[in-house]
Amino acid sequence: MTVIGRLGAQSSLKTLGGFAIAAIVLFGVAPAVLTDFRLSLLAKFLCFAIVAVGIGLAWGRGGMLTLGQGVFFGLGAYIMAMHLQMADAAKAHEDVPEFMTIAGVPELPSYWRPFESAPVAILAIAILPAALAAVLGFGVFKRRVKGAYFAILSQALAAALAILLTGQQTIGGFTGLSDFRSFFGFRLDDPVNRRMLFFIAAATLLAVVAVARQLMRSRYGELLVAVRDQEERVRFLGYDPANIKIVAYVVAAFFAGIAGALFTPIVGIISPADIGVVPSIAFLIGVAIGGRTTLLGPVLGAIGVAWAQTTFSEHFPSAWTYFQGALFIVVVGFIPAGLAGFGPMAKQLLERLRGQSADSAPEPDAGTETAETPAATSPEPEQPAAAAEQKVEAR
């Protein structure tokens, strides 16, 4: 076996070991030590981590500052919410969901009807966010819009969607959609089914991480990094950087749509406040703090920031937002690699300290006799008589 083959085998074993440890923690340790409430809260954080994986791919590897992932997250969440509302209405033998009856809407809107079917709803969750990202990416990247302009455009899109949904009473308006009773036939008030949702979210996260890892290690992943660092050189080599960016943008939107669909039954509510500008920035903060250029950094960062927000906001509701913003500024300004970069930074620091200690070590005195070079072994000077005899023989 060649050296490259051995390194690849070691990397594969390390990856399998990492996935095995993650599976043990998620499927064994967490359900055993956490209460039902905390487990449901962790399932919510896993949904954020799924979005973060896509952002890590698009932003960390592709250099696209995606400030509008709430759009795709909201599409998946609202499609799932509409299906669950119609399923509950069908079980109650009602023509429209309960919130429409309260709002005075006598007939189900036409755009609701396709999502009454579970297969159609699942396909829409998988296709619509990705399709919208493909259309937007084609219009933006083909025109070579990038950097801050792309970030502002994506953020404006998230704000526009939130405002649009706020004014639509047939989708719940400002309060959104809530009070879901079942999830594809399973009652949501049953603790066993709530745990099932956690396991689904955990399995989805592991699958998403595996897909992202495969993309990052593939030829496409190398091209994506090349586009981030030297876009003009990639174009000179015959590749279209726009197409490479579109693929990453579509994959990130696909992940966000799935996360939104899982978020709806886990949390039990979806509203414009969950998909606007603030949630989109919160997704980005978690990725930046965790380490956007790594595979697991966005996952750990998203879970950590969400947990900190839930924990500290209970005790410091007014100060948490400032702390979150300050943490983001510190990480972006002074620790660009995020928390995942602390390991390499510490390793470099140790190597520098070792190098300085080696340089500052005192050198042995040249006149001092040591065990390796004893004085007895040094050559003796040639005697004058012997030299004279050699001269005579030479004559």
Side-chain angles (χ1 to χ4, degrees), residues 159-383:
L161 180 62
I163 295 172
L164 176 64
L165 293 176
T166 302
Q168 298 294 324
Q169 295 300 323
T170 54
I171 316 182
F174 181 80
T175 58
L177 302 176
S178 59
D179 298 329
F180 311 114
R181 298 184 180 89
S182 62
F183 176 75
F184 293 102
F186 296 94
R187 295 178 55 187
L188 289 176
D189 58 355
D190 190 346
V192 176
N193 295 334
R194 302 292 301 178
R195 291 199 165 215
M196 177 190 67
L197 287 174
F198 169 78
F199 292 137
I200 293 175
T204 304
L205 176 60
L206 293 179
V208 164
V209 171
V211 172
R213 178 185 179 276
Q214 187 62 31
L215 287 175
M216 290 179 180
R217 293 176 60 86
S218 65
R219 175 67 174 172
Y220 168 77
E222 296 177 356
L223 286 174
L224 187 60
V225 174
V227 168
R228 180 196 66 188
D229 296 336
Q230 296 290 339
E231 182 173 338
E232 295 302 325
R233 290 188 179 183
V234 174
R235 185 177 287 108
F236 178 77
L237 292 174
Y239 297 97
D240 189 353
N243 294 334
I244 299 172
K245 290 183 178 181
I246 290 171
V247 172
Y249 193 48
V250 168
V251 172
F254 174 73
F255 291 168
I258 294 176
L262 292 173
F263 177 88
T264 297
I266 289 173
V267 179
I269 184 174
I270 184 65
S271 67
D274 298 320
I275 65 174
V277 174
V278 175
S280 298
I281 295 177
F283 292 147
L284 205 70
I285 290 175
V287 175
I289 292 176
R292 61 188 177 95
T293 59
T294 60
L295 180 62
L296 294 181
V299 175
L300 300 178
I303 295 175
V305 170
W307 172 82
Q309 181 178 5
T310 302
T311 303
F312 294 118
S313 61
E314 297 175 356
H315 304 285
F316 311 101
S318 59
W320 162 247
T321 305
Y322 298 103
F323 175 74
Q324 188 181 37
L327 185 60
F328 178 69
I329 293 173
V330 169
V331 170
V332 172
F334 302 97
I335 316 175
L339 298 179
F342 274 125
M345 288 176 60
K347 185 177 180 181
Q348 292 179 0
L349 182 60
L350 289 175
E351 290 178 353
R352 290 179 181 178
L353 293 176
R354 290 175 182 173
Q356 292 178 358
S357 62
D359 294 338
S360 60
E363 296 182 358
D365 190 0
T368 306
E369 296 182 357
T370 58
E372 289 80 0
T373 58
T377 60
S378 59
E380 296 181 354
E382 192 175 6
Q383 300 295 330

Side-chain angles (χ1 to χ4, degrees), residues 85-102:
Q85 286 280 2
M86 286 186 288
D88 293 342
K91 285 187 176 182
H93 304 286
E94 297 177 355
D95 296 331
V96 296
E98 185 178 355
F99 82 93
M100 289 187 182
T101 303
I102 297 174

